[in-house]
Amino acid sequence: MRRGVVRWLIVAGIVLIGAIALGTVMTVNHFRERALANSAHELEKTLLLLTRHFDHQFQDLKRIQKSLTADLLANGVRSPISFASRMSSYESHVMLTSKVDDDAVGDITVLDAEGRLVAWSGNWPAPELNLADREYFQALKSQDFITDGEFVQHMQSRITGRPKTLFARRISGPDGQFLGVVTRGVEPMEFEKFLASVTLGDNSAIAIVHRDGTLLARYPVIGEIFTKEPSSGVLLQHLQASGQPVTMRVISPFDQIEHIGSIRSLRDFPIALVATRATDDVLADWRAQTRFLIVTASFSALVIAILLLLVIRKIQQQSRLAQAQLTLEKDRLDIAINNMTQGLVLFDKKARVVICNKPYLDMYTVPPELALPGSHFRDLIAHRKAHGSFIGDINTYVSEVLKDVWQTTSDVLQTGDGRSVQISRRPVPDGGWVATHEDITERRRSEEKIAHLAHYDALTDLPNRVLFREELERELANLANGAQCAVLYIDIDEFKSINDSLGHPVGDELLKYIAQRLRRCVNGSDMVARLGGDEFAIVQTGIATRSDITDLVARIHAAIREPFECLGHRLLTDASIGIALAPQDGSDLDSLLKNADLAMYGAKADGRRTYRFFEPQMDAKVRARRMLELDLRQAIAHGGFREGGFEVYYQPLVDLSDDRIVGCEALLRWQHPERGMISPAEFIPVAEEIGVISQLGEWVLDTACSEAATWPDDIRVAVNVSPLQFRCQSLALKVAAALAHSGLRAQRLELEITEAVLIRDDDVALTILHQLREIGVRIALDDFGTGYSSLSYLQRFPFDKIKIDRCFVTDIAEPHGSSVIVQGVVNIAASRHMTTTAEGVETQQQKELLRALGCTEMQGYLFSAAKPAAEVRRLIEALRTRAAAA
């Protein structure tokens, strides 16, 4: 026997070593193909993102066209002559310049019906040029007025003398009459600057080509722009033939080596993007993996050979010890059987007792003489029946056991005295069976208690994360064709601040009430769970339409927004909800939960107190937000605010009665060393969430006060105060310190707050506002009417000013616009002796309407955008000098 085992071990070792070699070869080939496939997928994904970007960017001209058309209609322009006159004005030049500022790529030009250049975003007045001979002008002029197409052409600019890619759209009057053409030209360097930010690795390139094969831009730059692009020839042919994105291997004409190339066309423009990467660079990691696999396989084969030798020696040693061990184990068997915790009975094929241990006799109070070898199985059951340790029919039970003795079984039976006994039966070779009996009464009780604790939250008694995952996985497995379920991730807004300010007992009580209300929101088949902290989740089933989900979300928001009475505190809160649908947003558990979590973070990023369905681009948004958070922390931590790129800009506030500057609003800007100017709408919410907004706010306050001290005495400075800063009881002291340090009079400082400050804990906020008023500073209510507006705020605290949000100013000139709303706010403010400031004023018409409605002040691009401190000082001085001269 030993020789046979050794032979089989040797054969198995040889087979295993051969399998390792074969597996290594197959793995190497698989890794190579996967590396090539991954590179191709990366190129396709990159082109998909780029085409979406350029599709969106190139739509700007359409928006500009619509904006110009709307402006012309609003100003009564209906003929080519009035169009040329209107567009030649300085006001139109300023409007075009603002469009460029918004998008920052390419100049905008406007041609009249005769092809004359009447407006240019570069300089004013526009150069005297006639471009009626241009192909795009002739094509657009000849179009039917219903056509809303866009002409794309690469050419040499007659204005700048540089090559550019031109996008042109027709401008028509209300009756379809041709008024002119608006164009936007993008120079190759603008494309190349953006393409340079896309990293594909060494020996890679990205090009933008016209569908006729003309190269519009390439990075890295090789050759002349606006020539035929040879590297995209084969790819472009396949694209034109199939009309679909193409990825294939091509030989580059530049270096004559093989590349993986991919091409994808823009949706609405005759432009395609091409990305290539050298195959050798793609396979660099594969070569390193191949070397590692070969070394590993060789080492594994050597280890197997050594182990075989050791195992063979061990078998020989064990054979000598086996006989001695067998004798010892036989002696120990009797001791073990009678000292085990389970009752044990061994029956032969005639159902007669062979062995019965003492724990079995004690468990059922069976006399030893009834369990002697040869006793029948039925006699034992009859005795147990007579003494109350067996419930049921004896004959039925015995026949069922004898019928199944050939297979392993396990049952739990209840005894007459309420115990639970687990009986396990296993057949033995001679046709009999061995049965073990274990009293599991206490264990089952403990297991039930532990199972409840393991699957339910101790605080809210809701299912916990473990049970939630199990139930969701079961639901996903049972989804029928066409059926769907939804996962709702619910995050309680600002719960941490409640815990921090009022204590954990109040926070725990709030979580209990929220859990109760969530239970009442769902149907019987839905499940509510607490995942931990202030995060809850719901699995919604039986969904017919998306409205079923939105109805549930509405019930959740309505329930959570009702006030809570927690240990003597009246609390208001809200929730951010992320929603993922199965199977469209993920058919497996982890991807579905991840997507629901991403959707929840999307809702939080959009201002909280809302909900978002999962969208594929949310993953990229979360990564971008995390990068922004890291950059923000580093900018604040390394060398101070100015060294981190932060700067305070100032936007003038103008008195509508005499166009005099009466103040400036301090606005924080962040000049990122790599990403350029980042909008406050992006980094301010992140700063609030990571807890650095108070530091930024104090720095802005100190900087603005110091700057305003250098202005004339009749010009105020306005500083925004975050709701998070109002949680600091020493806010008034910090404001007083900033005034004292700068020497600025308190009456010249105006603090702007939003309604969010008052909603959270209005009694505390009002106390702080009164402290600030005692210092002498002015208080303005910002964004009035855009949140949970309450006129009681105006009754309880005498604000100095109400600021009308830009959303009410934008459409004030429309027939059904917001002029009535603005008039109402102005009347309320006038009755309370408050001034009103309209934000976002961009046109003269808006200004005149606001003046007619009785608005006090305005700010916006019509007068001036936000400017650095030095430029604002020059602007103030220039206006003062002009007024003195007049």
Side-chain angles (χ1 to χ4, degrees):
M1 181 181 292
R2 290 198 302 273
R3 288 196 298 270
V5 171
V6 170
R7 282 197 299 269
W8 277 110
L9 284 174
I10 293 173
V11 171
I14 294 172
V15 172
L16 184 58
I17 291 173
I20 290 174
L22 179 60
T24 301
V25 173
M26 294 176 65
T27 301
V28 166
N29 290 331
H30 173 69
F31 281 178
R32 184 180 188 276
E33 294 303 318
R34 189 171 67 178
L36 294 173
N38 288 343
S39 179
H41 179 68
E42 181 180 353
L43 291 178
E44 292 170 353
K45 183 169 66 175
T46 300
L47 287 187
L48 177 61
L49 295 175
L50 288 175
T51 53
R52 288 179 178 175
H53 167 80
F54 284 117
D55 267 323
H56 175 76
Q57 185 184 58
F58 293 161
Q59 290 293 334
D60 287 346
L61 189 60
K62 184 176 182 179
R63 290 190 285 272
I64 293 170
Q65 175 209 26
K66 291 185 177 180
S67 175
L68 287 176
T69 303
D71 181 71
L72 295 173
L73 290 176
N75 287 278
V77 176
R78 299 179 177 275
S79 67
I81 296 176
S82 59
F83 171 78
S85 174
R86 173 70 180 177
M87 294 312 300
S88 301
S89 66
Y90 179 72
E91 181 182 351
S92 297
H93 170 72
V94 172
M95 179 186 66
L96 290 182
T97 304
S98 69
K99 302 298 181 182
V100 174
D101 289 342
D102 289 342
D103 225 18
V105 177
D107 291 337
I108 303 173
T109 62
V110 179
L111 308 181
D112 66 6
E114 301 302 324
R116 291 188 299 270
L117 179 63
V118 294
W120 178 36
S121 62
N123 291 315
W124 186 86
E128 294 185 3
L129 286 177
N130 190 305
L131 303 178
D133 60 329
R134 288 293 199 183
E135 179 184 352
Y136 67 86
F137 181 84
Q138 297 174 3
L140 292 173
K141 184 174 182 179
S142 63
Q143 283 182 343
D144 184 77
F145 75 95
I146 298 177
T147 304
D148 189 25
E150 188 159 329
F151 198 94
V152 181
Q153 186 178 21
H154 48 85
M155 61 176 58
Q156 200 80 10
S157 173
R158 292 182 183 174
I159 300 177
T160 63
R162 295 188 294 269
K164 66 179 180 180
T165 300
L166 182 131
F167 299 82
R169 295 187 71 87
R170 173 189 174 112
I171 300 177
S172 301
D175 56 354
Q177 183 179 11
F178 177 68
L179 299 182
V181 174
V182 59
T183 72
R184 165 163 266 181
V186 183
E187 296 184 3
M189 62 181 296
E190 298 295 340
F191 286 130
E192 292 160 2
K193 189 187 306 180
F194 178 78
L195 295 179
S197 66
V198 182
T199 303
L200 293 177
D202 297 334
N203 291 329
S204 62
I206 303 179
I208 303 176
V209 298
H210 197 277
R211 288 294 291 268
D212 63 4
T214 303
L215 176 64
L216 303 180
R218 188 182 191 276
Y219 184 83
V221 179
I222 298 179
E224 294 293 331
I225 302 300
F226 299 152
T227 61
K228 295 296 182 179
E229 165 62 16
S231 63
S232 63
V234 176
L235 294 170
L236 190 59
Q237 291 174 7
H238 282 78
L239 176 67
Q240 292 170 341
S242 64
Q244 299 295 324
V246 177
T247 301
M248 58 189 298
R249 300 181 195 176
V250 296
I251 301 299
S252 172
F254 295 114
D255 50 19
Q256 300 302 317
I257 62 175
E258 184 183 77
H259 285 65
I260 298 177
S262 183
I263 186 168
R264 189 178 188 93
S265 178
L266 298 188
R267 186 180 65 250
D268 300 320
F269 301 92
I271 294 175
L273 276 74
V274 181
T276 62
R277 188 179 180 188
T279 306
D280 288 341
D281 290 340
V282 173
L283 296 178
D285 290 339
W286 168 78
R287 296 188 184 94
Q289 290 176 336
T290 299
R291 290 192 294 270
F292 174 77
L293 287 174
I294 292 174
V295 172
T296 302
S298 301
F299 178 76
S300 300
L302 179 61
V303 170
I304 290 172
I306 295 173
L307 288 177
L308 282 175
L309 293 175
L310 295 176
V311 169
I312 291 172
R313 292 185 60 187
K314 192 66 176 178
I315 289 174
Q316 293 173 345
Q317 293 175 359
Q318 290 178 343
S319 179
R320 292 190 294 268
L321 296 174
Q323 189 62 38
Q325 187 68 24
L326 180 62
T327 302
L328 179 62
E329 293 297 329
K330 187 176 180 179
D331 295 335
R332 292 175 176 172
L333 180 60
D334 289 339
I335 299 173
I337 288 177
N338 288 296
N339 288 278
M340 61 190 298
T341 58
Q342 299 172 322
L344 182 142
V345 185
L346 175 63
F347 296 95
D348 61 16
K349 62 182 179 180
K350 295 182 178 181
R352 296 187 179 277
V353 175
V354 178
I355 297 174
C356 180
N357 69 353
K358 188 174 183 302
Y360 178 87
L361 303 177
D362 296 339
M363 186 179 299
Y364 299 114
T365 62
V366 177
E369 58 271 17
L370 286 180
L372 293 174
S375 301
H376 200 274
F377 172 56
R378 189 182 186 287
D379 295 336
L380 291 177
I381 302 303
H383 176 79
R384 289 173 52 192
K385 175 73 173 181
H387 289 79
S389 62
F390 176 81
I391 301 174
D393 182 74
I394 298 174
N395 294 327
T396 301
Y397 178 73
V398 171
S399 62
E400 288 179 353
V401 172
L402 295 178
K403 181 179 64 175
D404 296 331
V405 294
W406 56 274
Q407 62 182 355
T408 299
T409 60
S410 181
D411 302 315
V412 176
L413 298 181
Q414 299 294 323
T415 64
D417 54 3
R419 292 179 297 155
S420 297
V421 179
Q422 182 174 4
I423 304 175
S424 300
R425 303 181 189 86
R426 184 182 298 273
V428 293
D430 66 351
W433 77 95
V434 60
T436 58
H437 297 246
E438 182 180 5
D439 189 339
I440 60 171
T441 305
E442 292 302 322
R443 189 179 79 188
R444 292 194 74 177
R445 291 172 183 169
S446 299
E447 287 176 350
E448 290 174 358
K449 185 175 181 180
I450 292 171
H452 186 82
L453 293 174
H455 292 87
Y456 287 84
D457 176 54
L459 178 65
T460 62
D461 202 35
L462 289 176
N464 61 10
R465 185 182 295 272
V466 175
L467 182 56
F468 172 75
R469 290 177 64 91
E470 292 176 357
E471 292 297 326
L472 178 57
E473 192 164 19
R474 186 179 299 111
E475 181 65 28
L476 292 176
N478 294 332
L479 279 180
N481 291 335
Q484 57 182 352
C485 70
V487 175
L488 287 74
Y489 260 28
I490 306 170
D491 182 83
I492 306 304
D493 293 334
E494 299 185 359
F495 176 76
K496 182 178 183 300
S497 63
I498 295 176
N499 256 353
D500 294 343
S501 59
L502 301 179
H504 290 281
V506 176
D508 290 346
E509 194 72 12
L510 176 61
L511 291 176
K512 292 178 185 178
Y513 284 130
I514 291 174
Q516 293 173 7
R517 294 187 183 181
L518 289 178
R519 282 195 188 100
R520 295 196 292 266
C521 292
V522 300
N523 298 323
S525 61
D526 301 338
M527 183 182 72
V528 183
R530 182 191 177 202
L531 304 185
D534 61 341
E535 290 189 3
F536 296 83
I538 295 177
V539 177
Q540 185 182 14
T541 59
I543 299 171
T545 63
R546 181 168 285 204
S547 63
D548 295 336
I549 304 172
T550 55
D551 289 345
L552 174 59
V553 170
R555 294 198 299 272
I556 293 171
H557 272 143
I560 292 180
R561 288 168 181 167
E562 287 292 323
F564 294 88
E565 296 292 339
C566 300
L567 303 181
H569 297 275
R570 190 171 187 268
L571 303 178
L572 292 172
T573 186
D574 215 312
S576 300
I577 304 175
I579 307 165
L581 290 171
Q584 51 265 53
D585 294 335
S587 57
D588 63 284
L589 176 68
D590 291 329
S591 62
L592 188 64
L593 295 182
K594 172 192 171 187
N595 292 339
D597 194 42
L598 288 174
M600 183 192 71
Y601 276 103
K604 293 175 66 177
D606 288 344
R608 303 173 182 263
R609 297 177 175 84
T610 186
Y611 68 94
R612 289 291 179 269
F613 283 89
F614 169 75
E615 298 174 357
Q617 61 269 30
M618 284 181 173
D619 194 10
K621 288 183 179 179
V622 169
R623 288 197 299 270
R625 189 205 169 281
R626 289 172 180 166
M627 183 61 69
L628 180 61
E629 176 183 332
L630 178 62
D631 291 345
L632 186 59
R633 291 184 185 276
Q634 291 177 344
I636 294 176
H638 295 165
F641 294 98
R642 292 192 184 279
E643 292 76 4
F646 292 101
E647 185 177 357
V648 179
Y649 278 40
Y650 301 88
Q651 186 172 30
L653 301 170
V654 180
D655 192 314
L656 281 170
S657 63
D658 55 7
D659 291 339
R660 177 175 50 89
I661 295 179
V662 295
C664 293
E665 181 179 0
L667 300 171
L668 182 61
R669 295 291 185 265
W670 183 19
Q671 182 69 35
H672 193 280
E674 296 177 357
R675 300 167 60 181
M677 188 67 75
I678 299 179
S679 169
E682 291 186 52
F683 72 84
I684 290 296
V686 177
E688 291 180 340
E689 187 166 336
I690 66 177
V692 299
I693 189 63
S694 295
Q695 302 173 45
L696 283 170
E698 291 172 16
W699 178 78
V700 171
L701 177 64
D702 292 338
T703 304
C705 288
S706 298
E707 173 62 25
T710 66
W711 301 343
D713 288 341
D714 60 341
I715 297 181
R716 302 185 302 272
V717 64
V719 179
N720 291 282
V721 180
S722 167
L724 295 179
Q725 291 178 264
F726 261 79
R727 297 179 186 172
C728 177
Q729 299 293 329
S730 61
L731 176 61
L733 294 176
K734 293 179 179 179
V735 172
L739 292 170
H741 181 265
S742 63
L744 184 70
R745 290 189 299 109
Q747 292 75 12
R748 294 180 58 197
L749 175 61
E750 191 173 87
L751 298 180
E752 296 186 3
I753 69 168
T754 62
E755 295 163 1
V757 170
L758 301 167
I759 291 171
R760 174 176 154 68
D761 194 339
D762 54 358
D763 290 333
V764 175
L766 288 171
T767 300
I768 296 176
L769 288 174
H770 281 292
Q771 292 173 354
L772 294 171
R773 174 57 61 80
E774 291 174 1
I775 296 174
V777 301
R778 292 168 53 86
I779 307 296
L781 183 59
D782 197 7
D783 298 339
F784 182 74
T786 60
Y788 298 96
S789 301
S790 175
L791 297 180
S792 65
Y793 300 152
L794 305 182
Q795 181 70 26
R796 298 177 64 186
F797 184 82
F799 290 95
D800 298 288
K801 178 190 291 185
I802 296 177
K803 298 195 73 174
I804 303 172
D805 190 77
R806 66 179 61 246
C807 67
F808 299 116
V809 176
T810 301
D811 62 348
I812 192 172
E814 300 295 329
H816 301 286
S818 56
S819 59
V820 176
I821 298 175
V822 173
Q823 182 69 75
V825 175
V826 169
N827 292 340
I828 292 172
S831 67
R832 302 295 297 172
H833 305 291
M834 305 174 189
T835 60
T836 50
T837 299
E839 298 179 301
V841 180
E842 297 184 356
T843 68
Q844 187 67 28
Q845 185 183 17
Q846 292 172 349
K847 175 183 175 182
E848 296 303 327
L849 284 173
L850 289 167
R851 179 183 291 165
L853 292 173
C855 187
T856 313
E857 301 171 357
M858 61 158 255
Q859 68 180 115
Y861 285 127
L862 178 62
F863 184 82
S864 174
K867 298 178 179 293
E871 294 185 23
V872 167
R873 287 196 296 271
R874 289 195 295 268
L875 176 62
I876 294 173
E877 183 63 28
L879 292 177
R880 289 297 173 108
T881 302
R882 188 184 308 167

